[in-house]
DNA sequence: GGCTGTAATTAACCGAGGTTCATTTGTCGA
DNA sequence: TCGACAAATGAACCTCGGTTAATTACAGCC
């Protein structure tokens, strides 16, 4: 458990969520960071044509927030919704950042958080750029096997970047 | 010009580069951050099958480093090479991070750097996940028109995530 | 058990990008 | 100006994912 997570848990506000409950929607102003105590969240974009693409699944233990909203108070670039019953803890990031200007300990906690975030995005970028949908599915199974079993096919497909039909074909190909 | 850039420029070591010169290779241990004074760098992966995929182009004014190397001293996950004559300034990140533990001003400079990095990766993730190759090409033309003109088609294609032939077809489609 | 609605799979067809190879264009130095 | 090499484009064929629609599997409920 990182210091940043401790900090969020101890100072944040706990929220119970049910499947379909949104923490925020694309376009909202919400500069909270959220820690997932239980359940799974998904972060997703809605494109102009209505298609949904999933940025990431956030199982228990994850930390999430819209970076552009956290950093610049811009509207959130994606939506955050629960896919299972669970509990999350929310904490306003702006206050954190303010406090960090004075508090060296807090500042270093923030640095750790941002570093981990950057690493996660770097890996995701690699997967999207260098792996085929089929390979991305395999990576997902290896790295987040539990998530893969708790999330429906449509969402898995939207995470990998294909349609549910294509995912179905991929699974058949892999089996044989 | 951000404080972080100033800091790198003033404390770093300047390096002249020619096209093809590598700052580091995939797998190297190199925890330097680099500021691009002039020229263009490209950051790229080599996949198992030998294919090259380009993470990002770094024109003058950019800051770059392998996040996993900076944060954990892991081997770099990509290679960094110059595509034009130019000059870059390198600075060991680990020393920065050490110093930031004591220096609140430095810590906040780091926070700004990591925030900007996170935002950049978030946008790139969106582009890769939600845009077609053709749309990604359009976005590239709008956002980095100068880069598009200074880089060859093969590299542009590798950035968009298609073959040079496919990029050629895309250009033809767009023109008509 | 039978009904109903949703999730998951399957099928058939289409189109975009990959692959391979050929051709054209462009650049640079002799 | 010419020749040589690399870059860019073009053509032919193939594969895989998208699209649309139908079918199957499954869970909750009467």
């Amino acid at each position: 458990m990182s210091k940043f997570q401790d900090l969020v848990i101890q100072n944040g506000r706990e929220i119970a969520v049910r499947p379909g409950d949104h923490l925020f929607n694309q376009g909202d102003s919400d500069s909270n960071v959220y820690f997932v105590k239980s359940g799974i969240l998904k972060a997703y974009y809605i494109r102009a044509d209505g298609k949904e693409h999933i940025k990431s699944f956030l199982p228990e233990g994850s930390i999430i927030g819209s970076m552009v909203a956290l950093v610049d108070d811009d509207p959130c670039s994606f939506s955050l919704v629960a896919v299972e019953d669970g509990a999350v803890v929310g904490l306003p990031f702006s206050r954190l950042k303010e406090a960090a200007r004075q508090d060296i300990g807090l500042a270093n906690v923030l640095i750790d958080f941002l570093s981990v975030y950057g690493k996660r995005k770097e890996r995701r970028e690699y997967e999207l750029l260098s792996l085929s949908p089929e390979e991305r599915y395999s990576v997902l199974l290896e790295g987040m096997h539990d998530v893969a079993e708790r999330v429906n096919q449509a969402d898995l497909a939207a995470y990998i970047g294909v349609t549910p039909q294509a995912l179905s074909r991929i699974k058949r190909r892999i089996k044989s």
Side-chain angles (χ1 to χ4, degrees), chain A:
Chain A
M1 185 72 63
S2 80
K3 285 178 194 163
F4 187 73
Q5 292 178 347
D6 288 339
L7 191 139
V8 173
I9 293 169
Q10 270 153 39
N11 298 281
R13 193 170 61 86
E14 180 154 343
I15 307 164
V17 292
R18 319 212 53 189
D21 286 354
H22 277 75
L23 279 314
F24 56 75
N25 279 283
Q26 201 167 341
D28 286 357
S29 288
D30 183 327
S31 56
N32 288 287
V33 281
Y34 296 96
F35 172 77
V36 184
K37 285 188 81 168
S38 60
I40 295 185
L41 306 183
K42 71 174 183 190
Y44 68 99
Y45 305 105
I46 295 287
R47 307 196 319 184
D49 63 6
K51 293 254 178 61
E52 175 179 327
H53 281 277
I54 295 183
K55 271 172 66 74
S56 43
F57 294 114
L58 296 304
E60 43 280 311
S62 305
I63 289 271
I64 179 79
S66 170
M67 196 50 74
V68 294
L70 298 183
V71 172
D72 296 333
D73 287 313
D74 282 349
C76 295
S77 57
F78 58 88
S79 301
L80 186 60
V81 65
V83 299
E84 285 182 356
D85 286 319
V88 307
V89 182
L91 182 68
F93 189 78
S94 49
R95 261 190 260 157
L96 259 185
K97 226 170 99 179
E98 271 316 303
R101 300 225 169 272
Q102 315 295 334
D103 179 337
I104 183 86
L106 202 49
N108 277 288
V109 166
L110 257 193
I111 288 174
D112 288 342
F113 162 63
L114 291 169
S115 299
V116 168
Y117 185 86
K119 279 199 312 179
R120 200 172 78 200
K121 294 291 109 168
E122 201 168 280
R123 181 164 56 253
R124 177 81 165 136
E125 180 184 71
Y126 166 75
E127 288 176 7
L128 289 172
L129 201 50
S130 298
L131 302 183
S132 66
E134 184 168 331
E135 290 168 320
R136 291 204 288 275
Y137 179 66
S138 298
V139 168
L140 176 64
L141 284 187
E142 285 167 29
M144 309 178 74
H145 197 270
D146 54 323
V147 171
E149 286 183 344
R150 288 156 70 186
V151 168
N152 65 32
Q153 299 295 309
D155 279 351
L156 282 185
Y159 178 79
I160 294 167
V162 297
T163 59
Q165 292 88 330
L167 176 56
S168 200
R169 281 188 291 232
I170 288 172
K171 287 167 72 176
R172 197 177 355 148
R173 267 208 308 274
I174 288 180
K175 250 180 265 174
S176 62

